[in-house]
Amino acid sequence: MYLIAIAWLYVVVLMAVVEAASPQGSVLGAFFTLLLYGALPLGLLLFIAGTPARRRGRHRAEAAAREASASAPPPPDPS
């Protein structure tokens, strides 16, 4: 998954470099190319693709907390 993300960023960075170096292009255009073709779509894709892993991690942490609270000795009686 990360290989695809790295390859896409490579392509987008090259697009931005060509945009900045072109006689009709500008650095502002290169910035927006990098932002709108690269960072935003890739961030959204990685967020959506990472949802199952985050959910598994949250369930694992909740299960570990339940197990830790079930195996802990009861608190002493204050009386």
Side-chain angles (χ1 to χ4, degrees), residues 2 15 18 20 42 53 63 75:
Y2 290 118
M15 287 171 53
V18 168
L42 194 59

Side-chain angles (χ1 to χ4, degrees), residues 12-42:
V12 171
V13 165
L14 288 181
M15 287 171 53
V17 167
V18 168
E19 174 76 25
S22 171
Q24 291 87 14
S26 66
V27 175
L28 183 63
F31 172 73
F32 281 113
T33 298
L34 190 62
L35 183 68
L36 297 177
Y37 282 120
L40 292 178
L42 194 59

Side-chain angles (χ1 to χ4, degrees), residues 4 8 10 13 19 23 28 37 55 59 65 68 70 73 77:
I4 294 169
W8 180 250
Y10 176 74
V13 165
E19 174 76 25
L28 183 63
Y37 282 120
R55 187 176 299 136
H59 287 302
D77 194 20

